[in-house]
């Protein structure tokens, strides 16, 4: 054993002050109480009577001593690769009266095998299995400690892992079903953000999620087993459940949306997106007067959508969409989804690869956390009257897909893959954590767009070159008569907010027809016809169309709406103006 004249007390644990081991780099945080503070605090918080702790990387024995001192802990097994530290750890245990801990010299490996070369450095925390990062003093041949055998033998309930980068790939093939918690110090400087992503993905698929109690920027990550699937716990952003790896078959794809008085247009939109590959729809409504709610109730009865009253109706706020999205994590649909797309009934996902389905888009784009689709606004196409036609066929003209720089900024809607990196779902884009490995954000051409990670307030970007794989074709106006009904209805996002003249001016473009939706129309039409084969649904759809027409008729002659028509015909209409709204000529005035 080493000679020493002084002991240090770290988090209540006595440590021999052996200067060959406790170098100034370690001594300073020890004396300040910062050495392995996070690990010790976590162990004391999570360990319970009967727990068995497997510790990979024991250091000088502080964490294992603290863990073994927790009342009721059954056993501690520490695996330490550095043979120089073995007597030091045993002395720490002796000083603290630890009797339930066992120590083995070994290198933690996925599988047991031949002895491994271990590169020993003056600062023990820098010793590792890799030789190139910094100079080393000597090489030791150390037995390999295979995780498969260790888990079968020791049956741990808690795992602590601090092995200087060796954690990448360590647990991929191990049955972790007996574990309740994993405390891991991660080392992205060794294996990069891509490696950290692999670790988080692997643990997520095995049912372990980052604890909300872990500081986001800490290198020490606590992962907790999901004990109750779908449970929302304090501090968590999403339901707690295992996450399927990228590329899993038959993913659940959810569209949550808010609606008010959209009856005539719902079935086309539902049929289109069911044909695209969306599996679940969650529709929140408020204050409907045109039969939208009744039509959605019938779709709910048929198992096509889930229809709910907007939760904002039961509160003092009228921020309908933000409230609905905050409520979203508490729904079954969100608990079971793999992807979520917050979007509106006047927006259509237009996939330009393969057969036009989401599976084709995912294959072409490659793995992502978020894929944001740039919008293309379809204008009124100079249509004055509402017609009972599909909007995707009636309004082919749209704004340019190759705009100049000054007009290239377009809004987006996002396909979000649900994973531990998602902090919140918002209407245009999610909030994504950058502390759990590389986050992948793509545009509609599959290009990486990290800008959204840097600025959480961004809801749009430069759309140039972003339409190769998918676009979000937006029909915000439809005909002039439909626009006036929208004006009467008000904003579905916030109550008592009306659409403005600017709303029409900035969206009424129809000079280009390159974004073609007819290619996919036949598949969507089959689904549409199938829906309408239900007599009750067909009757409700007919009632919605009739109510829409009645609302149009009721607005005729109302000053507010007449003034809006006059402004549009005067300032923002490029077709023949109806005779009743033409300005009198000078000759006629005389």
């Amino acid at each position: 054993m080493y000679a020493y004249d002084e002991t240090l007390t770290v988090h209540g644990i006595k440590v021999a002050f052996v200067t060959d081991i406790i170098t100034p780099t370690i001594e300073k945080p020890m004396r300040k109480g910062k050495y392995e503070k996070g690990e010790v605090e976590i162990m004391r918080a999570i360990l319970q009577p009967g727990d068995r702790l497997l510790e990979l990387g024991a250091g000088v024995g502080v964490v294992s001593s603290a863990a073994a001192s927790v009342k009721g802990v059954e056993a501690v097994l520490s695996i330490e690769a550095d043979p120089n530290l073995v007597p030091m750890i045993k002395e720490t245990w002796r000083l603290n009266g630890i009797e339930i801990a066992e120590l083995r010299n070994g290198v933690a490996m996925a599988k047991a095998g031949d002895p491994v070369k271990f590169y020993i450095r003056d600062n023990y925390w820098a010793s590792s299995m890799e030789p190139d990062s910094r100079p080393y003093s000597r090489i030791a041949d150390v037995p390999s400690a295979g995780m498969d055998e260790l888990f079968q033998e020791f049956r741990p309930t808690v795992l602590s892992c601090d092995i200087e980068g060796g954690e990448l790939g360590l647990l991929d093939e191990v049955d972790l079903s007996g574990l309740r918690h994993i405390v891991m110090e991660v080392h992205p400087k060794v294996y990069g953000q891509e490696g950290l992503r692999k670790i988080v993905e692997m643990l997520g698929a095995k049912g372990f999620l980052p604890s909300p109690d872990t500081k986001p920027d800490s290198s020490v990550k606590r992962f907790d087993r999901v004990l109750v699937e779908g449970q929302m716990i304090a501090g968590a952003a999403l339901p707690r459940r295992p996450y399927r790896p990228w590329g899993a078959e038959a993913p659940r794809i959810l569209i949550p949306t808010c609606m008010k008085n959209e009856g005539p247009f719902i079935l086309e939109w539902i049929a289109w997106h069911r044909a695209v590959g969306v599996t679940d729809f969650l529709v929140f409504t408020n204050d409907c007067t045109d039969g939208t709610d009744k039509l959605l109730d019938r779709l709910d009865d048929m198992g096509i959508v889930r229809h709910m009253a907007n939760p904002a109706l039961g509160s003092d706020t009228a921020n309908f969409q933000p409230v609905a999205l905050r409520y979203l994590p508490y729904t079954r649909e969100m608990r079971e989804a793999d992807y979520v797309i917050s979007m509106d009934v006047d927006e259509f996902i237009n996939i330009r690869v393969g057969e036009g389905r989401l599976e084709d888009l995912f294959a072409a784009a490659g793995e992502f956390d978020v894929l944001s689709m740039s919008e293309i606004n379809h204008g009124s196409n100079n249509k004055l009257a509402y017609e009972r036609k599909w909007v995707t066929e009636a309004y082919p003209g749209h704004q340019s897909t190759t705009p100049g720089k000054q007009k290239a900024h377009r809004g987006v809607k996002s396909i979000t893959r649900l994973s531990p990196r998602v902090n919140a779902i918002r209407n245009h884009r999610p909030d994504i954590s950058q502390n759990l490995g590389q986050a992948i954000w793509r545009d509609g051409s599959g290009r990486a767009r990290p800008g959204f990670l840097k600025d959480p307030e961004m809801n749009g970007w430069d759309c140039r070159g972003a339409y190769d794989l998918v676009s979000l074709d937006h029909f915000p106006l439809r005909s002039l008569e439909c626009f006036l009904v929208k004006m009467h209805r008000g904003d579905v996002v916030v109550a008592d907010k009306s659409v403005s003249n600017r709303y029409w001016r900035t969206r009424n473009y129809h000079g280009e027809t390159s974004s073609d939706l007819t290619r996919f129309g036949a598949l969507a039409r089959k689904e549409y016809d199938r829906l309408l084969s239900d007599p009750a649904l067909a009757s409700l759809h007919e009632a919605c169309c009739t109510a829409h027409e009645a609302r149009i008729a009721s607005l005729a002659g109302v000053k507010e709406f007449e003034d809006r028509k006059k402004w549009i015909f005067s300032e923002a209409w490029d077709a023949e103006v109806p005779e009743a709204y033409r300005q009198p000529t000078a000759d006629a005035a005389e």
Side-chain angles (χ1 to χ4, degrees), residues 290 398-399 454 537 562 565:
D290 73 337
H398 55 78
Q399 65 189 145
K454 299 175 183 177
L537 186 62
E562 290 299 322
K565 284 192 284 187

Side-chain angles (χ1 to χ4, degrees), residues 342-364:
S342 175
M343 57 184 293
D344 302 320
V345 72
D346 58 4
E347 296 169 329
F348 289 77
I349 299 173
N350 185 9
I351 298 168
R352 303 166 180 217
V353 292
E355 296 182 356
R357 294 175 54 83
L358 285 164
E359 61 187 33
D360 302 313
L361 174 61
F362 294 172

Side-chain angles (χ1 to χ4, degrees), residues 50 59 187 200 228 323 364 403 448 450 503 531 536 572:
H187 301 83
V200 173
V228 180
V323 170
Y503 189 94
L531 293 175

